[in-house]
Amino acid sequence: MVQKSLAIVLNRFSYGESSIITKCFLKNYGKISFIVHGAKNKKNFKNSYFQPGNYLELLFYYRPNRNLQTISKATFQNQWVSIQKDFIKISYVMAIIELADKCTSEIDKNEDLFNELINAISLIETKRNQMNLVFWNFQYQLLRVLGFKPDLNKSELDYSILPDPFAGPNSKKIFHDFETQTIDFNLSYKITQLDRLAISDYLNCFFSIQFENIKNLKSFEVLKQCMV
């Protein structure tokens, strides 16, 4: 049966001489893997669509008993012009989609997570600064929509000690805005080095406790350099 859904491309890799396999997060389905025949041919229009972070509308044949689905048609829902030209923005997008991929299972429909993905990538596309604030907010909202919303007043999680999220002079205010979903990316938040350490250490530690498979993510290593 032919289905239609908005999608964010998570990753892709080669399959055979001319095809690729791509994994996408679909608004109406969650994560699904597709085989795209002929996509490695540079003259094939499909080659440009399935780059990580792209925002697409897909028509596809869905058969529940198959591990790989087949795409009938792909169109851009939005094109990230600014991101494509900026290595730092690309690094943030790659970290966001890799984190979402590692923290979710196949066919795990979650429209709230899809909306958070689109919101975060859209902000990276339009903003010139505050990329770290966008990324931290995505981390927090990812935990929330997956059912792991942090209790900032607890100092330990699953018998592991958590860093102090309020160790920075402004980190308490920032976490409060994450929690109440009132973060205003048009404001110029004052973020010191102590704030950066407090927020990133707390969130990264929380993720490492809840999700064992997110340690040593390649995109995070690149992102650390960008944050510095």
Side-chain angles (χ1 to χ4, degrees):
M1 177 180 286
V2 177
Q3 303 291 334
K4 181 170 72 171
S5 181
L6 298 176
I8 288 289
V9 180
L10 298 176
N11 57 45
R12 58 177 277 169
F13 58 90
S14 295
Y15 183 78
E17 294 184 359
S18 62
S19 301
I20 65 167
I21 291 176
T22 181
K23 186 188 296 179
C24 301
F25 194 93
L26 279 66
K27 182 175 183 179
N28 300 330
Y29 284 85
K31 281 198 306 190
I32 294 182
S33 294
F34 299 93
I35 184 168
V36 187
H37 297 288
K40 285 163 64 176
N41 185 339
K42 293 182 179 179
K43 294 182 180 180
N44 191 325
F45 72 94
K46 295 179 181 178
N47 185 58
S48 62
Y49 286 116
F50 299 99
Q51 302 296 331
N54 280 359
Y55 183 20
L56 309 173
E57 182 178 77
L58 298 179
L59 283 176
F60 60 98
Y61 300 99
Y62 181 66
R63 295 179 173 86
N65 60 332
R66 289 191 176 183
N67 293 326
L68 294 175
Q69 308 300 329
T70 304
I71 290 174
S72 172
K73 183 180 180 182
T75 55
F76 284 107
Q77 182 69 14
N78 199 350
Q79 290 184 277
W80 312 123
V81 177
S82 175
I83 291 172
Q84 294 174 6
K85 300 176 182 178
D86 191 319
F87 175 75
I88 292 178
K89 289 188 175 187
I90 291 172
S91 300
Y92 275 96
V93 171
M94 293 302 294
I96 283 171
I97 62 176
E98 188 175 11
L99 188 61
D101 185 18
K102 294 295 183 181
C103 293
T104 53
S105 57
E106 300 291 324
I107 315 297
D108 183 15
K109 179 182 176 182
N110 192 322
E111 289 191 26
D112 289 337
L113 174 52
F114 183 86
N115 291 335
E116 291 297 340
L117 273 168
I118 296 302
N119 181 58
I121 298 175
S122 298
L123 285 167
I124 292 172
E125 167 70 14
T126 57
K127 297 298 179 183
R128 293 184 178 181
N129 48 34
Q130 298 195 109
M131 296 297 104
N132 50 359
L133 195 63
V134 174
F135 180 69
W136 294 329
N137 182 64
F138 175 78
Q139 285 185 293
Y140 187 94
Q141 303 310 329
L142 176 60
L143 290 169
R144 177 184 61 81
V145 299
L146 293 180
F148 300 104
K149 182 179 177 180
D151 184 340
L152 299 171
N153 295 312
K154 289 188 176 180
S155 60
E156 64 177 52
L157 177 67
D158 292 343
Y159 304 106
S160 297
I161 301 299
L162 291 167
D164 181 4
F166 306 144
N170 309 294
S171 60
K172 186 172 185 177
K173 161 65 175 171
I174 294 170
F175 268 117
H176 174 267
D177 289 354
F178 292 162
E179 186 175 21
T180 57
Q181 300 182 59
T182 56
I183 195 83
D184 187 347
F185 295 99
N186 293 316
L187 292 177
S188 181
Y189 281 81
K190 185 176 182 181
I191 303 175
T192 68
Q193 182 62 23
L194 287 176
D195 293 317
R196 292 186 181 92
L197 289 173
I199 298 170
S200 60
D201 285 354
Y202 179 84
L203 289 171
N204 292 338
C205 181
F206 201 100
F207 269 98
S208 67
I209 295 171
Q210 295 286 12
F211 304 96
E212 293 182 358
N213 63 337
I214 69 161
K215 295 178 181 178
N216 302 318
L217 296 184
K218 293 180 180 179
S219 61
F220 271 42
E221 296 304 314
V222 177
L223 195 58
K224 286 179 183 178
Q225 301 302 317
C226 294
M227 283 189 172
V228 172

